[in-house]
Amino acid sequence: TYGTLATLGAADLSGVVTGDSVSATVRLSNGVTLSDRLHAGTYGQTVTSLTGASAANYSLASSGNSDGGLTIGRKQLGVAYLAPIITYTYGSPQDLLRLSGILSGDEVIPTLDGGRGTVTLQSHGANWIAAPNALKVSSFIRAYVDGLTGANAGDYTVNVTNAVFSRVVVNL
């Protein structure tokens, strides 16, 4: 999962004589560096060298080797709606929600579906508010986070199906 340092898999070596001490060094393919900030996605793993007391007696085959794979999953964010009913008045927006679980330095911006189209929210300290004039005047609308934008949005997910809904009243 994004934000957690993954462990590379071990390689199975064939053709090693019983009693010989040989192990494989596994690295990510294409010069990718393993870190806790490795973006969500799938990466190749390959054997780059042999180590151990008997390693000098062996070499990696030039063909027939199979690379492994490493999948980094998206980090699940928590969503807390700050009130069951939020009154939004133009000129004095009220905090709508708080996201938890975003790693320091990452840019992740929630989008809000209020039944009138998707609205991108703005940061307000640790909370999020709707941009001025983003919400239309209406009676009660159910609002919920329906997606994420920003430079690191692809590394995170919000469980929309389990979202707790908040009602937003929009006044002039």
Side-chain angles (χ1 to χ4, degrees), residues 17-38:
V17 174
T18 302
D20 279 0
S21 174
V22 181
S23 57
T25 301
V26 177
R27 302 231 188 269
L28 292 176
S29 303
N30 301 319
V32 175
T33 302
L34 184 64
S35 78
D36 62 338
R37 294 295 181 102
L38 186 60

mmCIF file of all heavy atoms in Angstrom, residues 17-38:
data_model
loop_
_atom_site.group_PDB
_atom_site.id
_atom_site.type_symbol
_atom_site.label_atom_id
_atom_site.label_comp_id
_atom_site.label_asym_id
_atom_site.label_seq_id
_atom_site.Cartn_x
_atom_site.Cartn_y
_atom_site.Cartn_z
ATOM 1 N N VAL A 17 23.651 -26.570 -6.740
ATOM 2 C CA VAL A 17 24.061 -27.856 -6.187
ATOM 3 C C VAL A 17 23.755 -27.871 -4.687
ATOM 4 O O VAL A 17 23.999 -26.887 -3.973
ATOM 5 C CB VAL A 17 25.576 -28.091 -6.427
ATOM 6 C CG1 VAL A 17 26.059 -29.367 -5.730
ATOM 7 C CG2 VAL A 17 25.887 -28.130 -7.899
ATOM 8 N N THR A 18 23.218 -28.993 -4.220
ATOM 9 C CA THR A 18 22.896 -29.149 -2.805
ATOM 10 C C THR A 18 24.131 -28.873 -1.958
ATOM 11 O O THR A 18 25.215 -29.387 -2.244
ATOM 12 C CB THR A 18 22.375 -30.577 -2.530
ATOM 13 O OG1 THR A 18 21.244 -30.815 -3.337
ATOM 14 C CG2 THR A 18 22.007 -30.762 -1.075
ATOM 15 N N GLY A 19 23.961 -28.045 -0.954
ATOM 16 C CA GLY A 19 25.061 -27.711 -0.062
ATOM 17 C C GLY A 19 25.739 -26.401 -0.417
ATOM 18 O O GLY A 19 26.456 -25.846 0.411
ATOM 19 N N ASP A 20 25.554 -25.915 -1.655
ATOM 20 C CA ASP A 20 26.146 -24.632 -2.036
ATOM 21 C C ASP A 20 25.317 -23.490 -1.447
ATOM 22 O O ASP A 20 24.096 -23.570 -1.351
ATOM 23 C CB ASP A 20 26.215 -24.470 -3.559
ATOM 24 C CG ASP A 20 27.404 -25.189 -4.170
ATOM 25 O OD1 ASP A 20 28.174 -25.816 -3.412
ATOM 26 O OD2 ASP A 20 27.562 -25.131 -5.404
ATOM 27 N N SER A 21 25.998 -22.426 -1.074
ATOM 28 C CA SER A 21 25.335 -21.251 -0.507
ATOM 29 C C SER A 21 25.267 -20.161 -1.581
ATOM 30 O O SER A 21 26.272 -19.505 -1.872
ATOM 31 C CB SER A 21 26.127 -20.760 0.712
ATOM 32 O OG SER A 21 25.567 -19.554 1.181
ATOM 33 N N VAL A 22 24.066 -20.020 -2.183
ATOM 34 C CA VAL A 22 23.845 -19.026 -3.235
ATOM 35 C C VAL A 22 22.466 -18.423 -3.032
ATOM 36 O O VAL A 22 21.485 -19.145 -2.818
ATOM 37 C CB VAL A 22 23.912 -19.659 -4.652
ATOM 38 C CG1 VAL A 22 23.694 -18.598 -5.717
ATOM 39 C CG2 VAL A 22 25.213 -20.390 -4.869
ATOM 40 N N SER A 23 22.395 -17.116 -3.097
ATOM 41 C CA SER A 23 21.100 -16.444 -3.048
ATOM 42 C C SER A 23 21.091 -15.325 -4.087
ATOM 43 O O SER A 23 22.129 -14.923 -4.607
ATOM 44 C CB SER A 23 20.805 -15.911 -1.650
ATOM 45 O OG SER A 23 21.817 -15.027 -1.227
ATOM 46 N N ALA A 24 19.907 -14.842 -4.369
ATOM 47 C CA ALA A 24 19.745 -13.836 -5.414
ATOM 48 C C ALA A 24 19.475 -12.466 -4.804
ATOM 49 O O ALA A 24 18.780 -12.340 -3.795
ATOM 50 C CB ALA A 24 18.593 -14.231 -6.320
ATOM 51 N N THR A 25 20.010 -11.430 -5.444
ATOM 52 C CA THR A 25 19.682 -10.051 -5.093
ATOM 53 C C THR A 25 18.572 -9.611 -6.035
ATOM 54 O O THR A 25 18.734 -9.643 -7.259
ATOM 55 C CB THR A 25 20.911 -9.128 -5.263
ATOM 56 O OG1 THR A 25 21.951 -9.606 -4.417
ATOM 57 C CG2 THR A 25 20.556 -7.693 -4.894
ATOM 58 N N VAL A 26 17.432 -9.224 -5.459
ATOM 59 C CA VAL A 26 16.268 -8.814 -6.249
ATOM 60 C C VAL A 26 16.113 -7.298 -6.136
ATOM 61 O O VAL A 26 16.192 -6.737 -5.043
ATOM 62 C CB VAL A 26 14.982 -9.518 -5.749
ATOM 63 C CG1 VAL A 26 13.765 -9.049 -6.522
ATOM 64 C CG2 VAL A 26 15.140 -11.030 -5.837
ATOM 65 N N ARG A 27 15.898 -6.656 -7.288
ATOM 66 C CA ARG A 27 15.679 -5.210 -7.333
ATOM 67 C C ARG A 27 14.487 -4.922 -8.248
ATOM 68 O O ARG A 27 14.085 -5.765 -9.053
ATOM 69 C CB ARG A 27 16.905 -4.489 -7.889
ATOM 70 C CG ARG A 27 18.162 -4.745 -7.088
ATOM 71 C CD ARG A 27 18.839 -3.448 -6.720
ATOM 72 N NE ARG A 27 20.142 -3.672 -6.124
ATOM 73 C CZ ARG A 27 20.372 -3.819 -4.844
ATOM 74 N NH1 ARG A 27 19.385 -3.806 -3.996
ATOM 75 N NH2 ARG A 27 21.582 -3.991 -4.378
ATOM 76 N N LEU A 28 13.959 -3.716 -8.128
ATOM 77 C CA LEU A 28 12.911 -3.298 -9.053
ATOM 78 C C LEU A 28 13.531 -3.042 -10.420
ATOM 79 O O LEU A 28 14.663 -2.578 -10.524
ATOM 80 C CB LEU A 28 12.215 -2.038 -8.545
ATOM 81 C CG LEU A 28 11.367 -2.216 -7.287
ATOM 82 C CD1 LEU A 28 10.802 -0.874 -6.831
ATOM 83 C CD2 LEU A 28 10.235 -3.199 -7.528
ATOM 84 N N SER A 29 12.790 -3.353 -11.459
ATOM 85 C CA SER A 29 13.264 -3.178 -12.832
ATOM 86 C C SER A 29 13.327 -1.706 -13.209
ATOM 87 O O SER A 29 12.700 -0.848 -12.570
ATOM 88 C CB SER A 29 12.315 -3.902 -13.801
ATOM 89 O OG SER A 29 12.213 -5.260 -13.457
ATOM 90 N N ASN A 30 14.041 -1.413 -14.253
ATOM 91 C CA ASN A 30 14.115 -0.086 -14.876
ATOM 92 C C ASN A 30 14.619 1.007 -13.945
ATOM 93 O O ASN A 30 14.231 2.169 -14.075
ATOM 94 C CB ASN A 30 12.753 0.316 -15.460
ATOM 95 C CG ASN A 30 12.271 -0.675 -16.499
ATOM 96 O OD1 ASN A 30 13.058 -1.153 -17.303
ATOM 97 N ND2 ASN A 30 10.997 -0.989 -16.465
ATOM 98 N N GLY A 31 15.455 0.650 -12.980
ATOM 99 C CA GLY A 31 16.060 1.650 -12.114
ATOM 100 C C GLY A 31 15.122 2.283 -11.108
ATOM 101 O O GLY A 31 15.462 3.294 -10.500
ATOM 102 N N VAL A 32 13.938 1.713 -10.917
ATOM 103 C CA VAL A 32 12.980 2.250 -9.945
ATOM 104 C C VAL A 32 13.506 1.954 -8.538
ATOM 105 O O VAL A 32 13.963 0.854 -8.257
ATOM 106 C CB VAL A 32 11.579 1.626 -10.148
ATOM 107 C CG1 VAL A 32 10.613 2.087 -9.072
ATOM 108 C CG2 VAL A 32 11.055 1.958 -11.533
ATOM 109 N N THR A 33 13.440 2.946 -7.673
ATOM 110 C CA THR A 33 13.921 2.791 -6.299
ATOM 111 C C THR A 33 12.753 2.478 -5.372
ATOM 112 O O THR A 33 11.731 3.153 -5.403
ATOM 113 C CB THR A 33 14.613 4.087 -5.829
ATOM 114 O OG1 THR A 33 15.694 4.366 -6.725
ATOM 115 C CG2 THR A 33 15.143 3.944 -4.410
ATOM 116 N N LEU A 34 12.929 1.465 -4.558
ATOM 117 C CA LEU A 34 11.904 1.075 -3.595
ATOM 118 C C LEU A 34 11.877 2.082 -2.445
ATOM 119 O O LEU A 34 12.898 2.401 -1.859
ATOM 120 C CB LEU A 34 12.209 -0.321 -3.051
ATOM 121 C CG LEU A 34 11.192 -0.928 -2.092
ATOM 122 C CD1 LEU A 34 9.858 -1.143 -2.806
ATOM 123 C CD2 LEU A 34 11.709 -2.237 -1.535
ATOM 124 N N SER A 35 10.689 2.617 -2.148
ATOM 125 C CA SER A 35 10.522 3.519 -1.012
ATOM 126 C C SER A 35 9.061 3.474 -0.574
ATOM 127 O O SER A 35 8.211 2.936 -1.287
ATOM 128 C CB SER A 35 10.911 4.960 -1.376
ATOM 129 O OG SER A 35 9.882 5.584 -2.108
ATOM 130 N N ASP A 36 8.779 4.075 0.586
ATOM 131 C CA ASP A 36 7.399 4.113 1.061
ATOM 132 C C ASP A 36 6.559 5.092 0.236
ATOM 133 O O ASP A 36 5.340 5.109 0.349
ATOM 134 C CB ASP A 36 7.332 4.467 2.544
ATOM 135 C CG ASP A 36 7.886 5.847 2.853
ATOM 136 O OD1 ASP A 36 8.679 6.379 2.048
ATOM 137 O OD2 ASP A 36 7.533 6.393 3.916
ATOM 138 N N ARG A 37 7.182 5.885 -0.623
ATOM 139 C CA ARG A 37 6.472 6.842 -1.483
ATOM 140 C C ARG A 37 6.442 6.379 -2.946
ATOM 141 O O ARG A 37 6.189 7.174 -3.842
ATOM 142 C CB ARG A 37 7.119 8.226 -1.397
ATOM 143 C CG ARG A 37 6.990 8.899 -0.033
ATOM 144 C CD ARG A 37 5.528 9.197 0.289
ATOM 145 N NE ARG A 37 5.359 9.846 1.566
ATOM 146 C CZ ARG A 37 5.129 11.135 1.726
ATOM 147 N NH1 ARG A 37 5.032 11.931 0.707
ATOM 148 N NH2 ARG A 37 4.984 11.620 2.931
ATOM 149 N N LEU A 38 6.699 5.098 -3.164
ATOM 150 C CA LEU A 38 6.583 4.541 -4.509
ATOM 151 C C LEU A 38 5.112 4.600 -4.904
ATOM 152 O O LEU A 38 4.249 4.097 -4.190
ATOM 153 C CB LEU A 38 7.091 3.092 -4.520
ATOM 154 C CG LEU A 38 7.186 2.401 -5.867
ATOM 155 C CD1 LEU A 38 8.124 3.141 -6.810
ATOM 156 C CD2 LEU A 38 7.661 0.963 -5.676
#
